Amino acid sequence: MNLVIEESPLQVLPSLAMQVGLNEAMVLQQLHFRSLISNKIRDGHKWVYKTYEEWKNEEFPFWSVDTIKRAIRRLEDSGYIISTSSYNRMKMDKTKWYRIDYTILHCQGGQDAPSTTAKSFQEEVQIAPSTEGKMPLAITKEIKRIKKDLVENDLDVVSVIDYLNDKAIKQFKASSKATARLVKGRFSDGYTVADCKKVIDTKARDWLGDPHWQKYLRPSTLFNVTNFENYLEESRAGDLPESIPPKPFELDFSKGEA
């Protein structure tokens, strides 16, 4: 495909945009793509787990969070998207899990739901042919890079390790089974990609540049089950506004005794 600039494109399906709206069609197509490579399976369905901020930063950087919320809410209200937060381990975590109701799209000549059985990435790609009347696979990332960096179909692990490498100036590999196991362990505890990045930001700020401590900017330290919770609490404490110290009491000797 010849592009104006070298950048992975988003797809817009004209028939789907006429059916649900332009923004909503783009969200549906991208959710379909993410569902194909998702390994988050609950109740026999593939789900995509993202905060609104992650939708913006990772998928639609040209939209505001409010625009994304409105598009998703319309799709939820019309039944195209099914969402829930009931799968979160922590009740305070309101991040949603999303999937497409393919029964509605199927009535319109759309794609079937992605299979939840174990398949290779190439096999998953083949179930989404680009034919008229079908929802094609959105080419939003370079396929070669995804196939190379994909860790058991978990792009969240890749996102976290890439962020650590960028912040700590390291070269850890997301393909390492030990590294992936640590990060996935925190996901299974109910923590999010955003939580992992907060921990990385906090400890990079504390340790980077210190000859002794900077060596601990590594997955085995940051994502250790005990360390991670403590580091995350440190990051949350840093988000609190600084308290204003009380004004010191000053005696006024210009006045006489009462």
Side-chain angles (χ1 to χ4, degrees):
M1 182 184 296
N2 293 325
L3 302 175
V4 177
I5 58 176
E6 289 296 326
E7 186 175 357
S8 299
L10 289 169
Q11 283 194 349
V12 178
L13 307 180
S15 60
L16 187 60
M18 291 176 65
Q19 180 180 333
V20 300
L22 177 60
N23 292 358
E24 291 75 11
M26 293 176 68
V27 171
L28 269 180
Q29 179 59 56
Q30 197 64 3
L31 177 56
H32 175 65
F33 167 66
R34 291 299 176 190
S35 298
L36 290 176
I37 58 177
S38 173
N39 69 341
K40 293 178 171 59
I41 301 174
R42 300 291 187 278
D43 298 330
H45 298 284
K46 283 191 171 187
W47 297 81
V48 175
Y49 174 85
K50 279 184 183 291
T51 64
Y52 288 119
E53 289 73 17
E54 287 169 341
W55 278 114
K56 172 177 172 57
N57 296 335
E58 300 172 7
E59 312 293 347
F60 307 111
F62 45 84
W63 284 344
S64 67
V65 170
D66 286 340
T67 297
I68 295 171
K69 285 182 179 179
R70 283 193 296 269
I72 291 178
R73 191 177 301 117
R74 292 190 190 107
L75 291 168
E76 290 171 331
D77 293 342
S78 58
Y80 287 96
I81 285 182
I82 297 173
S83 62
T84 182
S85 60
S86 62
Y87 297 127
N88 296 330
R89 291 176 177 269
M90 301 172 65
K91 291 184 177 180
M92 62 182 295
D93 183 5
K94 300 302 180 183
T95 304
K96 290 182 178 180
W97 298 59
Y98 301 92
R99 70 176 177 88
I100 295 175
D101 187 344
Y102 287 92
T103 58
I104 295 180
L105 285 175
H106 190 68
C107 293
Q108 304 295 331
Q111 184 64 269
D112 293 329
S115 172
T116 57
T117 57
K119 292 184 177 182
S120 68
F121 183 79
Q122 186 62 34
E123 289 174 322
E124 290 283 16
V125 170
Q126 290 174 353
I127 72 172
S130 180
T131 57
E132 186 176 359
K134 297 282 187 177
M135 286 185 68
L137 174 65
I139 309 174
T140 58
K141 301 287 183 182
E142 295 179 3
I143 301 302
K144 289 183 180 180
R145 187 182 66 79
I146 290 180
K147 291 172 67 177
K148 179 180 178 181
D149 293 340
L150 207 57
V151 181
E152 296 181 1
N153 289 344
D154 196 334
L155 292 177
D156 290 341
V157 173
V158 176
S159 175
V160 169
I161 299 305
D162 283 351
Y163 192 81
L164 173 59
N165 288 336
D166 181 61
K167 289 290 183 178
I169 316 175
K170 303 286 187 178
Q171 295 182 354
F172 295 110
K173 294 185 179 297
S175 56
S176 165
K177 291 183 178 180
T179 296
R181 191 181 305 114
L182 282 165
V183 179
K184 287 182 179 180
R186 305 297 70 76
F187 292 157
S188 67
D189 290 338
Y191 297 109
T192 66
V193 171
D195 291 330
C196 292
K197 291 180 178 180
K198 283 184 179 180
V199 167
I200 293 169
D201 285 337
T202 298
K203 302 321 293 181
R205 184 188 64 235
D206 293 344
W207 295 343
L208 195 60
D210 186 304
H212 173 73
W213 289 104
Q214 65 182 5
K215 63 186 177 184
Y216 294 109
L217 289 169
R218 59 193 182 192
S220 59
T221 299
L222 299 177
F223 306 123
N224 173 278
V225 61
T226 303
N227 295 345
F228 185 85
E229 186 175 14
N230 294 332
Y231 296 156
L232 186 58
E233 285 303 312
E234 288 180 26
S235 72
R236 290 169 177 165
D239 292 337
L240 296 176
E242 295 183 3
S243 58
I244 301 176
K247 185 177 181 180
F249 179 74
E250 297 181 0
L251 295 175
D252 188 354
F253 293 102
S254 64
K255 297 180 180 180
E257 295 182 0

